[in-house]
Amino acid sequence: MREACTRSRAQTVADHTRCRLGFTDREGRAKRGRARTCAKTHPGRSKGPHTRTVVTAVGPIELERRYFHCPTCGQGEFGADRGLGLSGYVTPGACRMAVLLGVQQSFAKAEVTLAEVVGWELDDNTIRQLCHATAAQATATRQHRSTAEVFTRAQAAARTERPVDSELHIDAGKVNTVEDGWRDLKMAVFARRERSAPTTAMDWEGRDLPTPLARSVIAAVEEASLFGKRCHDEATRLEWTDSSQMTVLGDGAEWLWNVSEQHFRDATQVLDFWHGAEYLASGAKAVFGPGVQAATAFVRGKSKLLEDGYPGLVDWIGELTGQMPAGGDGAALGGVLNYFCGQQGRLNYAVRLRRGQSIGSGLVEGTVKQLLNIRMKQTGARWNLGHVAPFVELGALAAGPEWKGFWENQ
């Protein structure tokens, strides 16, 4: 009796498995194999077993599965491939590993790393193809990856009772393309970030600015007007309809402020503090030359800019003018003053620090430096124009918390 029950349970499991995979037992099929329904529910016929090799996350393996043909439709398929999610030589698990390495380093180096770390090989051209195919897929599924609900839930995910800000970081960098040589690649990062503890201009460099709770990255090689429309569409998709609750941060380029004025008119605009600090350093060196005196003046200039904004900058330039040695470049100070004159309304750093808000566009600056300067500007690298923006978006995806979820939905 016990043996009979055991066989019965085993047979039930086998029956359920055949049913799930679409197999149906039919009389008279003993010599041909089991019938299987095709996509249009017609009974198919087994044409025997076939083997294939696929690369998995643990290395190449050989699979044996049956080929089924539908006499009605005239179509055939390996049902097991569909059931296992196999659509090519590389499984999703192996693809994920190859793509992650491919966006972090050159495809040739990714090939070497795979062989050294996991013990199986993919050539650099295959890795390249996998990266570009995955990038295209990631761009096509944006609506399902970075939904408005993720940003809405960001407030509830905050670790403290501090407010959560909506930030838009915009920047551009150069990339060498096959079709048109060096082109401007524009990027924008939409982020929701919890504020830090309040701080002052004296202590702000030691503060811990929280990691964004939610983030969405877009990129494109196109004119500023078109990119502005792209930013507006993404904001609409994320349900950022009230621009008065947004902060737009950038490096001071006129085109990005034009994008802000046209599409996010009520947003607070903030000049990336470190970009402004570069002008202060250049002015101090022009007056005193390289050395301790210029460094001291630079530190003083940063403090004045943080504490008092544009009026503090004017005071600092006045101080340097009175201390200028023979041979100092006073015209350089005039250039610094002219630059900040056009940014006056974007220098309210002291108030933002007291509120715990960001004063730099580091989210997009990091994307530019990591993906453009380190990954995409390697010696001799040239990119097909259509691959540039999706590859940057894929790199940003790989560096963020959505990477795991993206692969789980493939």
Side-chain angles (χ1 to χ4, degrees):
M1 177 65 72
R2 182 178 302 172
E3 183 179 356
C5 290
T6 301
R7 285 199 302 269
S8 177
R9 286 196 297 270
Q11 185 63 43
T12 299
V13 172
D15 290 344
H16 280 300
T17 301
R18 288 197 300 271
C19 181
R20 180 169 57 85
L21 293 178
F23 293 109
T24 57
D25 289 320
R26 299 182 63 194
E27 296 296 331
R29 297 280 185 192
K31 293 183 179 180
R32 301 178 183 175
R34 295 189 183 92
R36 184 183 188 281
T37 57
C38 72
K40 295 184 179 181
T41 70
H42 302 136
R45 293 179 179 177
S46 171
K47 296 298 183 179
H50 295 261
T51 60
R52 68 174 297 190
T53 300
V54 295
V55 177
T56 71
V58 296
I61 63 173
E62 188 174 86
L63 296 178
E64 182 178 281
R65 65 270 193 274
R66 289 182 176 274
Y67 183 81
F68 286 86
H69 178 263
C70 176
T72 304
C73 297
Q75 303 295 319
E77 69 167 347
F78 291 98
D81 287 1
R82 179 157 55 90
L84 294 172
L86 299 177
S87 58
Y89 172 64
V90 183
T91 66
C95 180
R96 175 179 177 178
M97 298 168 68
V99 168
L100 183 60
L101 291 174
V103 299
Q104 294 175 343
Q105 54 192 300
S106 71
F107 302 124
K109 289 182 179 179
E111 175 185 355
V112 174
T113 302
L114 274 176
E116 290 292 330
V117 175
V118 300
W120 48 265
E121 297 182 359
L122 281 179
D123 64 89
D124 60 342
N125 190 53
T126 299
I127 296 174
R128 176 186 293 106
Q129 292 174 355
L130 291 174
C131 284
H132 291 319
T134 304
Q137 176 68 8
T139 299
T141 58
R142 169 176 293 277
Q143 294 285 346
H144 305 289
R145 291 190 295 103
S146 299
T147 62
E149 288 78 10
V150 175
F151 282 80
T152 301
R153 292 196 303 267
Q155 178 69 56
R159 293 166 294 178
T160 70
E161 296 300 322
R162 300 190 189 109
V164 176
D165 290 331
S166 298
E167 302 175 357
L168 173 56
H169 302 237
I170 305 177
D171 201 359
K174 295 286 187 180
V175 62
N176 194 8
T177 67
V178 174
E179 297 88 344
D180 299 321
W182 290 96
R183 293 287 304 273
D184 278 332
L185 172 69
K186 296 176 176 62
M187 287 163 288
V189 179
F190 293 78
R192 296 218 70 191
R193 190 195 328 243
E194 184 184 5
R195 295 183 185 182
S196 70
T199 188
T200 65
M202 293 287 292
D203 304 320
W204 77 278
E205 289 189 75
R207 73 169 175 167
D208 182 19
L209 194 62
T211 301
L213 299 167
R215 188 186 69 165
S216 177
V217 179
I218 59 173
V221 180
E222 60 190 9
E223 297 299 322
S225 59
L226 296 177
F227 189 70
K229 175 68 165 52
R230 186 182 298 271
C231 289
H232 178 268
D233 291 345
E234 181 69 1
T236 300
R237 190 180 68 81
L238 298 175
E239 298 183 2
W240 288 22
T241 55
D242 185 2
S243 62
S244 66
Q245 301 300 312
M246 292 175 57
T247 300
V248 177
L249 302 101
D251 63 3
E254 184 177 358
W255 71 267
L256 69 87
W257 303 132
N258 290 339
V259 167
S260 178
E261 289 289 344
Q262 183 175 358
H263 298 286
F264 311 104
R265 182 175 299 275
D266 298 323
T268 300
Q269 297 178 1
V270 178
L271 173 70
D272 172 63
F273 174 74
W274 288 110
H275 188 81
E278 292 178 2
Y279 280 82
L280 302 182
S282 298
K285 288 180 181 179
V287 172
F288 299 112
V292 175
Q293 196 170 5
T296 302
F298 171 56
V299 172
R300 169 70 172 167
K302 286 198 303 180
S303 178
K304 294 289 289 182
L305 182 60
L306 283 171
E307 292 174 354
D308 302 318
Y310 184 72
L313 175 81
V314 174
D315 291 343
W316 177 73
I317 289 179
E319 292 174 4
L320 263 61
T321 301
Q323 301 169 9
M324 189 178 304
D329 187 359
L333 289 181
V336 173
L337 185 61
N338 287 338
Y339 172 77
F340 281 100
C341 183
Q343 309 287 343
Q344 290 186 51
R346 307 180 182 110
L347 308 176
N348 198 12
Y349 301 125
V351 172
R352 294 186 65 83
L353 290 176
R354 286 196 295 271
R355 293 174 178 169
Q357 295 176 295
S358 60
I359 60 172
S361 55
L363 291 180
V364 71
E365 290 282 349
T367 301
V368 171
K369 292 177 181 177
Q370 293 297 321
L371 290 175
L372 283 185
N373 298 345
I374 296 178
R375 174 63 184 92
M376 301 183 73
K377 285 187 178 180
Q378 297 184 19
T379 303
R382 298 179 70 196
W383 297 79
N384 288 327
L385 194 59
H387 290 161
V388 173
F391 191 84
V392 170
E393 292 182 358
L394 178 66
L397 178 65
E402 293 180 309
W403 180 246
K404 180 179 179 181
F406 167 73
W407 286 100
E408 289 176 347
N409 293 325
Q410 295 307 298

